[in-house]
Amino acid sequence: MSTYRDFTLTHRGSARGTVLRTIGSRERRSHLTAPRVPTVGIDIGGTKVMAGVVDADGVILEKIRTETPDKSKSPKVVEDTIVELVLDLSDRHDVHAVGIGAAGWVDADRSRVLFAPHLAWRDEPLRDALQSRLAVPVMVDNDANTAAWAEWRFGAGRGEDNLVMITLGTGIGGAILEGGQVKRGRYGVAGEFGHMQVVPGGHRCPCGNRGCWEQYSSGNALVREARELAAADSPVAYGIIARVGGNIQEITGPLITELAREGDAMCIELLQDIGQWLGVGIANLAAALDPSCFVIGGGVSAADDLLIGPARDAFRRHLTGRGYRPEARIAKAQLGPEAGMVGAADLARLVARRFRRATRRRVERYERYAQLGRRKTPGPDDQDDTQ
């Protein structure tokens, strides 16, 4: 007799493709009735790949991480890393679906990564590549979209109908959530705020343009400024130079944050600069989108008020119509750097429900037809006695 799992392995491709194309318009109500089963969320950034098993309440049951393979390597190397992490977690958990939050532009069908500035992905069919190797449904989305979903469901954005998420990591990611639905745009690439041009002719960005916002307010920008001061042997950089023993390449964002908390004047000033640029960008987004809340996430947000305090000040100074309009709330993400992973897992739970329903119906039809076929097949006792 055909089993559910056998049928899943044989027919998963076409069912998943149909299911994934129907998710966007139903997200708001679907999450309320999604199956309460564990799913895996994967967050792929420029420096790390984080994977975790997440339950229906957004609780992380287990989390593992590894470094992102060098971007000069083939895309298959990154896919191999993802598969290894999922299989590792599957050894200890009953995983029903996998959600991928990718640091790049994902198409409207959420099947291909069109462009990833920090990874070697160019029109990469990531979903199909992974689901051909994994025996569970796979969902792919932009990592900022998955983070925004997680904060709306479980974190700082609960109760907000109009939310903008800004993720500060290697670069800047962004997402828009209105009425409980992620706004992905016509081609799936809405929310790429990090590549808005804020300084014409400014620093070169990996995306190919100059002066992008993420070149002035991101982890890369923070580290670049610190290393330039250290390389110039600036007196204000003596503290951080001593901490790394003169090895400038060991200067990292977490180290800068740590020294700032200890009172290092240069590190405090660098975080203030990053925060001020953040506030300028938020003011521009408020003029365009008028949300009720901005949620700031990503690794750099770990600096807390050393970063968000200056951002709030700059936001108020640059907000169009300041003093005569309501101001959006600016909040730090409550789920921290795990937000993208949690959101990817939760969105994958929606795929798991629809895929399970579609597959169950197909299995029932398959078994019904098989039974009819057996009934119509003549047995030895059914043959004509006159022969």
Side-chain angles (χ1 to χ4, degrees):
M1 180 177 177
S2 175
T3 66
Y4 170 73
R5 180 172 176 81
D6 292 337
F7 195 89
T8 299
L9 292 173
T10 304
H11 299 279
R12 62 180 182 263
S14 60
R16 285 176 186 164
T18 301
V19 165
L20 287 168
R21 285 192 294 271
T22 65
I23 288 177
S25 62
R26 301 180 183 175
E27 282 172 349
R28 184 172 188 178
R29 70 173 185 269
S30 292
H31 77 274
L32 298 174
T33 55
R36 297 184 64 80
V37 294
T39 51
V40 167
I42 309 274
D43 184 20
I44 309 170
T47 58
K48 53 84 178 154
V49 181
M50 183 189 304
V53 179
V54 182
D55 71 13
D57 297 314
V59 176
I60 301 171
L61 305 179
E62 184 181 353
K63 178 181 68 175
I64 54 179
R65 61 179 291 169
T66 186
E67 292 183 357
T68 302
D70 187 86
K71 66 181 180 181
S72 65
K73 298 178 180 178
S74 80
K76 187 176 181 299
V77 176
V78 183
E79 294 163 12
D80 291 342
T81 301
I82 295 169
V83 171
E84 289 173 6
L85 293 175
V86 173
L87 293 179
D88 186 5
L89 292 169
S90 297
D91 287 340
R92 296 176 296 282
H93 302 272
D94 184 18
V95 174
H96 290 253
V98 175
I100 310 292
W105 295 356
V106 178
D107 69 359
D109 287 338
R110 281 179 279 178
S111 62
R112 309 178 73 87
V113 180
L114 301 175
F115 178 70
H118 307 288
L119 293 167
W121 282 340
R122 303 293 182 268
D123 198 26
E124 180 67 21
L126 182 62
R127 187 193 70 198
D128 292 344
L130 291 174
Q131 71 183 24
S132 68
R133 302 173 65 178
L134 298 171
V136 293
V138 176
M139 182 225 64
V140 179
D141 207 340
N142 173 267
D143 57 348
N145 289 340
T146 63
W149 179 263
E151 290 295 335
W152 177 71
R153 286 273 283 127
F154 309 111
R158 282 176 293 184
E160 299 286 353
D161 282 336
N162 291 273
L163 177 148
V164 170
M165 180 86 183
I166 298 169
T167 57
L168 302 178
T170 306
I172 293 181
I176 307 163
L177 198 145
E178 295 180 2
Q181 182 177 331
V182 177
K183 298 297 184 182
R184 297 179 175 86
R186 172 64 181 84
Y187 303 106
V189 298
E192 287 296 335
F193 309 134
H195 299 287
M196 298 186 303
Q197 189 180 67
V198 295
V199 180
H203 292 294
R204 176 72 72 180
C205 180
C207 77
N209 292 328
R210 289 185 178 273
C212 292
W213 186 24
E214 71 174 39
Q215 291 304 305
Y216 299 88
S217 185
S218 67
N220 273 353
L222 181 66
V223 172
R224 182 193 66 229
E225 295 298 314
R227 288 179 178 177
E228 286 181 359
L229 285 168
D233 201 28
S234 170
V236 301
Y238 286 170
I240 200 167
I241 292 173
R243 179 64 67 92
V244 298
N247 188 350
I248 294 174
Q249 293 305 309
E250 291 186 5
I251 296 176
T252 63
L255 176 59
I256 296 168
T257 299
E258 178 185 343
L259 290 174
R261 286 179 176 148
E262 294 174 3
D264 184 280
M266 182 199 78
C267 293
I268 291 173
E269 182 177 340
L270 289 178
L271 283 169
Q272 288 176 339
D273 290 344
I274 297 296
Q276 288 170 4
W277 275 111
L278 176 61
V280 170
I282 291 175
N284 290 337
L285 291 173
L289 301 174
D290 191 30
S292 59
C293 177
F294 288 95
V295 176
I296 312 300
V300 182
S301 69
D304 298 318
D305 278 344
L306 290 169
L307 172 82
I308 296 178
R312 288 192 180 108
D313 293 340
F315 170 67
R316 295 188 184 102
R317 288 198 308 272
H318 294 275
L319 180 64
T320 303
R322 51 193 173 277
Y324 296 95
R325 60 176 290 175
E327 292 185 6
R329 180 169 64 95
I330 299 176
K332 180 189 173 186
Q334 292 180 0
L335 303 181
E338 288 84 18
M341 181 185 72
V342 171
D346 198 58
L347 285 167
R349 193 169 289 109
L350 307 182
V351 178
R353 185 190 70 170
R354 294 187 180 89
F355 179 67
R356 289 167 71 188
R357 285 181 176 177
T359 304
R360 188 177 300 114
R361 288 193 295 267
R362 290 164 67 93
V363 168
E364 290 171 353
R365 288 197 299 269
Y366 176 83
E367 292 180 346
R368 186 164 59 249
Y369 295 153
Q371 290 174 358
L372 290 173
R374 285 196 296 270
R375 290 173 185 170
K376 293 179 180 179
T377 302
D381 298 333
D382 296 327
Q383 296 192 13
D384 192 341
D385 292 337
T386 63
Q387 292 181 351

